[in-house]
Amino acid sequence: MQTGLGGWTQQQFIAALRKGQHAGGGRPIAPPMPWAAVGQLTTDDLRAVWAYLRAQPAVSNAVPALVPPPARP
Ligand code: HEM
């Protein structure tokens, strides 16, 4: 089974980092992931990060469900 970015497209990866949403349209990506900063990279740079990540050997790692940060008082 593919886990992590294994089933994502490049478009989903870039949209996730630009919008702060899982796969570019799912649940919000929680802190401490600095998507608001990483998402400001140029499209060429994000494509390069994607190409690097996809060039790494795949691992299978089921990520546990999100634990949202506590509400601010
Ligand atoms: C170029 C740098 C980075 C890239 C390309 C990147 C990429 C991503 C992506 C695509 C996700 C979403 C995974 C998903 O929705 O399943 C993610 C999640 C996450 N990242 Fe990053 N990341 C980077 C740097 C960082 C840094 C510097 C930190 C913290 C020090 C960080 C912490 C996290 C955490 C905690 C999550 C999980 C958030 C959640 O489950 O809602 N990342 N990252």
Side-chain angles (χ1 to χ4, degrees), residues 3-5 8 12-14 16-17 20-24 26-35 37-39 41 45-46 49-50 53 63-67 69:
T3 57
L5 302 180
W8 290 28
Q12 286 176 312
F13 176 74
I14 292 174
L17 294 170
Q21 294 175 343
H22 176 76
R27 69 160 177 84
I29 295 175
M33 171 61 209
W35 63 266
V38 177
L41 292 172
D45 282 348
L46 287 173
V49 174
W50 173 253
L53 292 172
V63 177
L66 171 72
V67 178

